[in-house]
Amino acid sequence: MIKETQLINILFLLALCLCMFFIGLYIGGLDVLQLSAKDFLTPFVASSAAILAAIMANRTIRNNRRSEVLKNTLDALNCDLFKGQNRTDLEKACLILNKQLKGKDSFKALVRLRPTASKFVEEFRKDNEAEYQLIIDCLNYIERLCLGMETGIYDNNLINQFLGESVFNTWWASMILIREREMRYLDNTISDNKLNPDFGSPYRNLHAWVDRVAKEQNLNGLDYTLVRLETGYERRSELRELEKSLS
């Protein structure tokens, strides 16, 4: 695809040079049929030089862009959150969260109503303040990381190769925290007495990355967790009325 685009650009430049040449002949009142091969030599050389310069400039821009992406990617891979003791602490925090989550009936039941989910999250935060904050910091970082991959700031292949497993495992382990945050977002932005501005659903870039990975690798068992709340929770008016009575 890139080579085809480059060929099209070269042909476009060549056609543009030829058009400018014939326009110059017309303005100068010259008959193209009366010109010899020598008369075309100078325009041909000039056109070739212009095309070559354009190709070199395009290649330089692409190389600079590639170097910038690689530098950004290496900086992202060097994040302290996924290195050494911090990585060990993150894994322990996720284990504590999962252990506490297993003590409940089910994940689906826990996130069906926001007061139930918020109560669980608040209890976990109070009992494990450091672990809670570490997981939230990692979620915020990988959300920016996924945004960078989506917009081309980072190299997708390198990020997936070196951080993909950590990103996925953190998302999976902290799903209850993500869901509770999404439900609070919906309540704050669609209520009749709206007070908070709407800047988009939280962790939407992370969800998009997980969804893409799940489809590319045919992962099973993620259908429920990948369903966006805008197509489920928000439309269940009877559950929202019940939630208000429990608040």
Side-chain angles (χ1 to χ4, degrees):
M1 184 65 181
I2 296 177
K3 292 183 178 179
E4 292 176 356
T5 303
Q6 292 176 346
L7 180 59
I8 292 174
N9 291 338
I10 292 173
L11 293 176
F12 175 77
L13 287 173
L14 181 59
L16 181 62
C17 291
L18 289 174
C19 289
M20 295 301 295
F21 173 68
F22 287 115
I23 290 174
L25 292 178
Y26 176 78
I27 295 175
L30 299 177
D31 187 357
V32 67
L33 298 177
Q34 297 178 354
L35 298 177
S36 63
K38 293 182 179 180
D39 296 322
F40 287 95
L41 182 59
T42 300
F44 175 77
V45 173
S47 300
S48 300
I51 294 175
L52 181 60
I55 294 174
M56 296 302 296
N58 180 62
R59 180 171 298 180
T60 300
I61 292 174
R62 288 192 295 110
N63 289 338
N64 290 341
R65 173 59 181 164
R66 178 60 180 169
S67 298
E68 181 182 357
V69 170
L70 288 176
K71 179 181 181 302
N72 294 336
T73 303
L74 292 175
D75 290 341
L77 294 175
N78 198 37
C79 176
D80 291 336
L81 289 172
F82 296 106
K83 293 170 58 179
Q85 186 60 42
N86 286 335
R87 180 165 183 164
T88 302
D89 292 341
L90 175 61
E91 292 174 351
K92 290 181 180 178
C94 291
L95 288 175
I96 294 174
L97 177 60
N98 284 338
K99 183 178 180 180
Q100 191 164 333
L101 187 60
K102 288 180 180 179
K104 304 298 178 180
D105 294 335
S106 69
F107 173 79
K108 293 182 179 180
L110 194 59
V111 299
R112 186 169 292 120
L113 297 176
R114 190 181 68 81
T116 307
S118 295
K119 180 181 178 181
F120 173 86
V121 171
E122 183 61 22
E123 289 176 351
F124 174 75
R125 186 189 66 81
K126 287 183 177 180
D127 296 337
N128 309 275
E129 180 66 34
E131 289 78 7
Y132 170 84
Q133 192 58 53
L134 179 58
I135 294 176
I136 293 298
D137 289 343
C138 287
L139 284 175
N140 292 336
Y141 176 76
I142 61 180
E143 167 68 9
R144 296 192 298 270
L145 194 69
C146 292
L147 173 61
M149 287 190 286
E150 180 68 22
T151 56
I153 297 176
Y154 303 133
D155 183 278
N156 286 14
N157 294 331
L158 290 177
I159 294 294
N160 288 339
Q161 179 179 353
F162 291 101
L163 284 183
E165 183 178 0
S166 296
V167 171
F168 185 87
N169 289 342
T170 303
W171 167 80
W172 181 258
S174 55
M175 179 51 63
I176 179 61
L177 305 183
I178 296 174
R179 282 305 196 194
E180 193 274 338
R181 172 80 180 278
E182 288 175 330
M183 288 190 282
R184 279 194 289 116
Y185 157 78
L186 288 175
D187 281 348
N188 292 336
T189 56
I190 67 173
S191 63
D192 295 334
N193 298 319
K194 179 179 177 180
L195 297 176
N196 296 352
D198 184 1
F199 295 114
S201 177
Y203 307 119
R204 59 188 181 277
N205 296 295
L206 174 57
H207 271 285
W209 178 83
V210 173
D211 186 51
R212 185 168 60 252
V213 170
K215 291 178 180 178
E216 291 175 352
Q217 302 191 23
N218 298 319
L219 300 181
N220 297 319
L222 299 181
D223 293 340
Y224 179 80
T225 54
L226 287 174
V227 172
R228 302 296 295 163
L229 290 176
E230 289 85 341
T231 61
Y233 171 85
E234 183 181 3
R235 296 180 181 177
R236 297 179 180 177
S237 57
E238 67 277 9
L239 290 179
R240 293 184 61 80
E241 292 298 325
L242 178 59
E243 181 180 353
K244 291 179 181 179
S245 68
L246 297 174
S247 301

